[in-house]
Amino acid sequence: MPPLQNNAATPETSPGAAGKPSARPRFADVGSRYYGILLASMAVIVILSNIGASKGVQFGPIVTDGGFFLFPFAYILGDVISEIYGFKMARKAIFTTFALSVFASLSYWVIIALPGFTDDYGIAKQHALVEALGPVPQIVLASLLAFLAGQTINSLIMVRLKARQGERKLWMRLMGSSGVGEFIDTLIFCTIAAPVIGIVGFGMFANYVVVGFLYKVGVQYLLVPVTTLVIGWFKRHEPTYAA
């Protein structure tokens, strides 16, 4: 069976600013093993981030949540997928991650609802599960809506810029798309998740939003050289990436 192809009617082939079609950007098909590995890694990171986000974390005056150290890597993977495989395959990865996160949340509900042992240990363990996983559905709702909006914008900016720039200025695509995508993601997530985490008052909320945004963008900007090297590796080793 031939490898799946990206459709030419996607943002990857949009005309340039002057109204003339820009050189067709290069993208790989998804027939190799690499796309599946990237997609699975993104899904695992987002699901673990959803669990960690149910815990409020404070470093002195800085307020964040337990998923703060993981989530930026989901966007880095989104950048890699967008640059290598294009918007359609990035959107597929986003929707697949969305669906798997919903499944994980439903699984938590079932686990909590199952009748447990009635001894002291069983009751204590049930209480711990409720406290740890109980808030997760609302956190998942916040994360999914934020991830869906932020990652879609992130990917769209990546491929729009690539349609104009070709293989040049990758650093600009990475930094520009991450800044906009992470701002949208952080604002949506913090607005919905703050009450569950225990963040109250405008000052604490503003701290949560600003710190979350600056941290996520800072990590991604700091890792731009690494992301560039990773993308370069995939471009060299992905068999279907056009020469």
Side-chain angles (χ1 to χ4, degrees):
M1 179 181 294
L4 297 176
Q5 302 287 333
N6 273 326
N7 193 313
T10 60
E12 294 94 310
T13 56
S14 298
K20 297 180 181 179
S22 46
R24 181 180 176 85
R26 293 181 284 176
F27 295 102
D29 301 322
V30 295
S32 76
R33 65 185 183 276
Y34 296 120
Y35 178 79
I37 293 171
L38 291 169
L39 190 157
S41 299
M42 177 189 286
V44 169
I45 287 173
V46 171
I47 291 171
L48 291 176
S49 297
N50 291 339
I51 296 173
S54 64
K55 176 180 178 178
V57 174
Q58 187 165 6
F59 300 102
I62 298 175
V63 177
T64 182
D65 60 64
F68 79 95
F69 67 98
L70 275 173
F71 196 72
F73 293 99
Y75 268 78
I76 291 173
L77 288 171
D79 287 340
V80 175
I81 292 172
S82 299
E83 177 71 15
I84 301 298
Y85 300 100
F87 182 72
K88 285 185 68 175
M89 293 303 103
R91 185 175 59 190
K92 179 179 180 180
I94 293 167
F95 288 152
T96 301
T97 299
F98 183 99
L100 291 173
S101 296
V102 171
F103 176 75
S105 183
L106 292 174
S107 297
Y108 304 147
W109 281 338
V110 172
I111 291 168
I112 290 172
L114 290 172
F117 296 154
T118 56
D119 60 358
D120 291 343
Y121 179 74
I123 293 172
K125 204 162 189 180
Q126 174 70 9
H127 178 72
L129 282 170
V130 172
E131 290 298 313
L133 299 180
V136 166
Q138 188 167 337
I139 296 295
V140 169
L141 174 64
S143 178
L144 289 179
L145 293 179
F147 179 76
L148 192 62
Q151 272 283 13
T152 300
I153 293 296
N154 179 77
S155 177
L156 191 59
I157 291 174
M158 281 283 293
V159 297
R160 289 285 188 184
L161 289 176
K162 187 173 182 179
R164 300 186 181 194
Q165 299 169 344
E167 297 297 305
R168 300 176 298 109
K169 299 180 180 179
L170 175 59
W171 64 270
M172 182 184 294
R173 295 196 289 279
L174 292 173
M175 297 182 77
S177 63
S178 296
V180 178
E182 286 288 15
F183 176 75
I184 293 171
D185 185 295
T186 303
L187 186 61
I188 294 174
F189 177 81
C190 292
T191 300
I192 299 174
V196 179
I197 296 172
I199 293 175
V200 294
F202 178 77
M204 198 174 184
F205 174 76
N207 185 324
Y208 186 39
V209 173
V210 172
V211 169
F213 171 69
L214 292 179
Y215 168 77
K216 293 172 186 176
V217 172
V219 168
Q220 289 186 248
Y221 283 5
L222 185 65
L223 293 177
V224 161
V226 178
T227 306
T228 301
L229 290 174
V230 170
I231 287 174
W233 186 93
F234 275 102
K235 286 180 177 180
R236 292 190 303 273
H237 291 83
E238 172 58 70
T240 59
Y241 194 79

